[in-house]
Amino acid sequence: MGKFLVLSLTDHEEYILSRIMEIIAVEPGFDHIVTSHPCNTLVFPGLELRLKERTAYRNGELISMTRREFETLVYLAKHPSWVFSAGQLYEEVWGEDGENCGTAVAFVPKINANPVYNGG
């Protein structure tokens, strides 16, 4: 029989849940763990995206990025294992016709958190 864990955390204790998710993620059978917290945070092993703050942290360190880079990373994080063309990403993130994307998407850098998640 499965086990359930009920945990109540404040926004200031968010790091506890991040650590728990990092531990669970290395267990066999737990590929592509993505959680959405009430405070709008996506957590991957080694990567935390705070949607309200529009900030990203890799292993607890703030990642400096532009608004479009952040939006692209969030879009990819919400679609793990999906493959997108540059035009598709441009349409979703920029909200414009993907045929006119030029090199805009090509210059969004890759961020590799670990082998479980590839945000690039």
Side-chain angles (χ1 to χ4, degrees), residues 6-75:
V6 177
L7 185 63
S8 176
L9 300 171
T10 67
D11 288 345
H12 300 293
E13 298 169 326
E14 227 173 79
Y15 70 93
I16 295 171
L17 187 55
S18 295
R19 294 284 299 139
I20 291 170
M21 295 307 293
E22 287 174 11
I23 292 167
I24 291 173
V26 298
E27 291 298 317
F30 284 93
D31 293 333
H32 304 295
I33 293 178
V34 179
T35 60
S36 180
H37 300 240
C39 58
N40 291 321
T41 301
L42 296 176
V43 178
F44 293 83
L47 181 66
E48 183 177 332
L49 304 174
R50 297 180 185 176
L51 306 181
K52 285 184 179 179
E53 298 174 16
R54 303 184 72 78
T55 56
Y57 294 85
R58 181 174 36 195
N59 297 322
E61 292 187 33
L62 179 65
I63 302 169
S64 177
M65 60 179 57
T66 68
R67 179 175 66 91
R68 296 287 193 210
E69 290 170 342
F70 180 78
E71 290 173 357
T72 301
L73 180 59
V74 168
Y75 187 76

Side-chain angles (χ1 to χ4, degrees), residues 45-117:
L47 181 66
E48 183 177 332
L49 304 174
R50 297 180 185 176
L51 306 181
K52 285 184 179 179
E53 298 174 16
R54 303 184 72 78
T55 56
Y57 294 85
R58 181 174 36 195
N59 297 322
E61 292 187 33
L62 179 65
I63 302 169
S64 177
M65 60 179 57
T66 68
R67 179 175 66 91
R68 296 287 193 210
E69 290 170 342
F70 180 78
E71 290 173 357
T72 301
L73 180 59
V74 168
Y75 187 76
L76 292 171
K78 287 182 176 181
H79 300 88
S81 301
W82 290 33
V83 177
F84 298 99
S85 69
Q88 289 171 316
L89 285 173
Y90 191 79
E91 287 178 10
E92 292 298 326
V93 176
W94 278 256
E96 298 177 17
D97 184 9
E99 291 182 20
N100 302 318
C101 73
T103 58
V105 176
F107 291 105
V108 175
K110 293 183 178 182
I111 299 173
N112 296 315
N114 66 33
V116 173
Y117 170 72

